[in-house]
Amino acid sequence: MNRRGDMALEATGLVIAALSSPAVIHGVLRPDTEVLGGVLDWAPGGRAGQLALLGFIALVSLSLGGWAHTRPEQPADQAGDTGGTHGRPATPPEPADTSCAP
């Protein structure tokens, strides 16, 4: 995955976590309301199952966002960079003159 894909995965994960975490907290603190307006009515286990599913979604999205954020960048030759030498050996730079002669 390239850097743009990592950034998209990170942003998506953090947005989903930012939206689902308050819904879980609201669902726990106010048991008389529906979780997300009844969107998760299909989840088994009643209200506890709905909150568990929503909490799981928040944790998975945070994990994916964190993984995408901390993933190391690939070197250009492994990332599909076509601006390289195409199999030819690179010419080393000329050594610097370090002599003390005038």
Side-chain angles (χ1 to χ4, degrees), residues 74-84:
Q74 294 179 345
D77 59 342
Q78 292 181 0
D81 184 20
T82 59

Side-chain angles (χ1 to χ4, degrees), residues 3-26:
R3 187 65 190 147
R4 287 185 181 168
D6 288 343
M7 288 173 47
L9 183 61
E10 178 183 359
T12 303
L14 294 179
V15 166
I16 291 172
L19 294 176
S20 59
S21 298
V24 171
I25 294 169
H26 182 75

Side-chain angles (χ1 to χ4, degrees), residues 15-97:
V15 166
I16 291 172
L19 294 176
S20 59
S21 298
V24 171
I25 294 169
H26 182 75
V28 169
L29 295 178
R30 301 204 54 197
D32 55 335
T33 61
E34 292 184 4
V35 178
L36 288 180
V39 173
L40 297 176
D41 284 344
W42 55 269
R47 183 173 183 79
Q50 293 172 358
L51 291 175
L53 175 65
L54 197 54
F56 178 74
I57 290 171
L59 287 175
V60 167
S61 63
L62 273 175
S63 299
L64 284 176
W67 174 79
H69 180 73
T70 59
R71 187 172 166 197
E73 290 188 30
Q74 294 179 345
D77 59 342
Q78 292 181 0
D81 184 20
T82 59
T85 59
H86 300 287
R88 296 184 312 251
T91 306
E94 294 293 324
D97 185 19

